[in-house]
Amino acid sequence: MNKLYRQTKDVEGIEVGGEWIIMHVKNRTLTKLNGAGGTIWSLLHTQKSVSELTVELSKQLNYRHIIDETDVQTVLGELLQIGIIESFFEKQVNSY
């Protein structure tokens, strides 16, 4: 099964000067994200895997930097810990 990530419900964000301000309505928290954290969070308006996020980050950086999936997973872990994204396993569709 493939693990996917997406923004948590009840979370709103706004980009200001290259940084993201994330408000978690239910938890009543504000989080400021810059750099990779903000970019990754913004990409998770739809569900994505670590591989998809890695490719998207590379595209956004015009392939100037090598993006490692381990680094993406580290950022995802931090975003999960503060509760502004969630993870789940993709359901497999059986075809007979």
Side-chain angles (χ1 to χ4, degrees):
M1 280 194 246
N2 196 18
K3 194 169 192 178
L4 299 175
Y5 300 86
R6 66 178 168 219
Q7 295 173 358
T8 304
K9 294 179 182 177
D10 299 325
V11 175
E12 297 291 328
I14 184 169
E15 186 177 12
V16 179
E19 297 181 329
W20 281 89
I21 307 297
I22 313 299
M23 182 176 70
H24 194 298
V25 177
K26 186 176 181 181
N27 293 348
R28 298 182 184 174
T29 59
L30 287 176
T31 303
K32 182 172 85 169
L33 301 173
N34 57 18
T39 303
I40 288 172
W41 184 85
S42 70
L43 291 171
L44 291 174
H45 58 88
T46 59
Q47 61 192 31
K48 291 190 176 29
S49 67
V50 171
S51 298
E52 291 170 318
L53 286 168
T54 303
V55 169
E56 286 294 322
L57 280 171
S58 296
K59 284 180 185 177
Q60 287 198 8
L61 294 171
N62 295 318
Y63 301 98
R64 292 178 295 206
H65 302 283
I66 297 172
I67 306 297
D68 186 74
E69 285 190 11
T70 305
D71 294 333
V72 173
Q73 288 174 327
T74 299
V75 173
L76 289 170
E78 293 170 1
L79 298 178
L80 282 166
Q81 187 174 3
I82 59 176
I84 60 173
I85 67 167
E86 58 189 7
S87 65
F88 57 97
F89 288 100
E90 183 177 31
K91 294 180 182 177
Q92 297 292 324
V93 177
N94 295 329
S95 58
Y96 297 97

